[in-house]
């Protein structure tokens, strides 16, 4: 009986460690206020943009709920100790680019995307371009 309980606890511990090894910079995060989301895997760079598979596998992208255009993460440098990732991002036309920092606060499970330099992220709303703020917060959805 003790060995069965021990093996179950050991299995649960291994499963828990496996799910944490994915890290915070993998998954789907959402900003409710601006209705934008990010699909990211900054570890394996294996994300494909639905409908735009021509870009191949990337680290992730940011997209509005109302538009198919997106901003593509072309490279990312993850710092696990600081819970941050430095990103290079371009729009899907390749005409605008920027650098940004994506940070994760494990206490409240909130992500913060801060645009550092370059173009401002814009999305289409009601057939007009709308600039997003330089700092936005996201939560897992």
């Amino acid at each position: 009986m003790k060995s069965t309980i021990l093996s179950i606890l050991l299995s649960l511990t291994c499963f828990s460690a496996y799910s944490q090894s994915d890290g915070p910079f993998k998954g789907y995060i959402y900003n409710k206020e601006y209705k934008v989301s990010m699909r990211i895997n900054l570890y394996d760079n294996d994300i494909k943009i639905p409908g735009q598979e021509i870009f191949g596998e990337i680290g992730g992208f940011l997209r509005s709920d109302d538009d198919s255009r997106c901003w593509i993460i072309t490279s990312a440098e993850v710092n696990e100790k600081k819970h941050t990732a430095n990103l290079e991002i371009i729009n899907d036309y390749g005409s605008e680019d920027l650098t940004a920092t994506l940070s994760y606060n494990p206490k409240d499970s909130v992500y913060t995307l801060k645009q550092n330099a370059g173009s401002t992220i814009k999305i289409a709303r009601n057939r007009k371009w709308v600039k997003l703020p330089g700092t936005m917060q996201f939560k897992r959805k």
Side-chain angles (χ1 to χ4, degrees), residues 127-141:
R127 298 185 294 180
K128 293 183 181 179
W129 289 112
V130 176
K131 292 182 180 182
L132 293 179
T135 303
M136 291 187 301
Q137 293 190 331
F138 292 80
K139 286 199 164 255
R140 283 200 182 270
K141 190 169 183 183

Side-chain angles (χ1 to χ4, degrees), residues 37-39 47-50 58 60-63 70-71 73:
S37 62
M38 292 182 75
R39 184 163 309 275
I47 303 291
K48 288 188 177 181
I49 304 169
I58 58 173
F61 61 91
L62 181 141
R63 176 182 272 174
C70 62
W71 289 80
I73 299 171

Side-chain angles (χ1 to χ4, degrees), residues 68-88:
S68 64
R69 289 174 280 226
C70 62
W71 289 80
I72 302 166
I73 299 171
T74 57
S75 70
E77 185 179 312
V78 176
N79 184 332
E80 288 288 344
K81 290 181 181 178
K82 292 184 177 181
H83 303 289
T84 61
N86 294 317
L87 311 176
E88 292 184 11

Side-chain angles (χ1 to χ4, degrees), residues 49 52 54-55 58 60-63 67-75 88-99 115 117-124 129:
I49 304 169
Q52 297 183 13
I54 191 166
F55 291 114
I58 58 173
F61 61 91
L62 181 141
R63 176 182 272 174
D67 192 25
S68 64
R69 289 174 280 226
C70 62
W71 289 80
I72 302 166
I73 299 171
T74 57
S75 70
E88 292 184 11
I89 303 173
I90 63 168
N91 66 356
D92 54 0
Y93 292 105
S95 61
E96 298 185 70
D97 64 345
L98 66 122
T99 59
Q115 300 175 43
S119 302
T120 301
I121 295 177
K122 295 180 276 294
I123 58 172
W129 289 112

